[in-house]
Amino acid sequence: MIFYDCSTAPNPRRARMFLAEKGLAPESHNVSIAKGAQLSAEFRAVNPRATIPVLVTDEGTALTENLGIAAYLEAHTPEPALMGRTPDEKGLVLMWNSIVEQQGGMPIAEALRNTHPAFKDRAIPGPDNHAQLPELAERGLARVSRFFDLLEQRLSESPYLAGEAFTLADISAFVFVDFARVIKQRIPEENKATLAWHAAIQARPSAQL
């Protein structure tokens, strides 16, 4: 396997943590988004859509989305199980991972990419340029606040997002919660369940990567 990473971006970190939890350490290449390396001809030969992460499998397949990467790795290395064991668990993991991406990852990205000077004309990842829209940044900030409420409600009922076990959904949520610092958003002090969940994941070796 070959892993194309970016040390500063959240989506590559999600894949990096998943790999670490599986005990896998493939050949890795850092692709600097800050330097625009994802737009180079060399990298676009690997992924024409110019997004990171990418995992090139042992069979030579280039997987360019976190869910595809996770599904491959779960099949490749089944233990520890990070995508559920029973039918119900598998459904809950994918459900909560989707909720986290839509209600957490997307609004954080909206707020960042539509305000930060580094993303001028790069408001959407990929090979094409898109202008920043301040209204989307405002909406993104409001949605992030609601995301923290959603996490607190769920984690007050369950130790992890999809149930009793740490899974892909927790990796996604943890990374996005950490990354929210770039838009100056943190877990509210009164959200005790979320703070305890975050501290437990922060103590895992994979969270240090």
Side-chain angles (χ1 to χ4, degrees):
M1 287 184 279
I2 303 173
F3 181 53
Y4 292 87
D5 195 0
C6 176
S7 60
T8 59
N11 282 324
R13 187 185 182 200
R14 292 165 63 193
R16 196 159 64 243
M17 284 185 67
F18 199 97
L19 282 161
E21 290 286 340
K22 291 290 186 181
L24 299 171
E27 175 186 337
S28 181
H29 300 278
N30 191 67
V31 181
S32 173
I33 291 175
K35 296 179 180 178
Q38 78 279 16
L39 300 173
S40 69
E42 180 182 11
F43 181 71
R44 290 183 67 180
V46 177
N47 179 14
R49 288 178 294 281
T51 59
I52 314 164
V54 178
L55 182 73
V56 179
T57 72
D58 292 333
E59 295 77 15
T61 302
L63 300 172
T64 64
E65 298 293 332
N66 266 290
L67 190 56
I69 291 170
Y72 172 81
L73 293 173
E74 188 84 345
H76 181 280
T77 306
E79 296 294 335
L82 295 175
M83 297 182 73
R85 295 184 183 278
T86 69
D88 282 35
E89 288 173 356
K90 291 175 185 292
L92 284 168
V93 170
L94 292 185
M95 182 186 83
W96 276 104
N97 191 71
S98 180
I99 290 170
V100 165
E101 288 183 335
Q102 294 174 27
Q103 306 301 325
M106 288 180 64
I108 292 168
E110 280 187 343
L112 174 65
R113 297 188 77 103
N114 285 286
T115 54
H116 198 288
F119 293 104
K120 186 178 186 302
D121 295 322
R122 297 290 305 154
I124 298 176
D128 302 317
N129 290 341
H130 294 274
Q132 292 177 321
L133 299 174
E135 295 86 355
L136 287 180
E138 293 175 14
R139 185 180 72 179
L141 287 170
R143 292 181 65 203
V144 171
S145 177
R146 179 68 187 96
F147 175 60
F148 283 128
D149 293 341
L150 183 155
L151 288 180
E152 182 65 12
Q153 180 180 356
R154 175 58 177 168
L155 293 168
S156 296
E157 306 165 348
S158 174
Y160 295 102
L161 286 175
E164 297 297 317
F166 173 80
T167 69
L168 169 68
D170 298 290
I171 291 174
S172 296
F174 174 81
V175 169
F176 290 141
V177 166
D178 268 7
F179 194 66
R181 69 185 184 280
V182 300
I183 56 169
K184 298 180 172 58
Q185 299 295 306
R186 298 285 188 178
I187 301 169
E189 291 183 4
E190 62 271 22
N191 290 17
K192 302 301 184 185
T194 308
L195 287 168
W197 164 87
H198 186 272
I201 298 177
Q202 184 66 54
R204 302 176 78 93
S206 67
Q208 312 310 312
L209 300 176

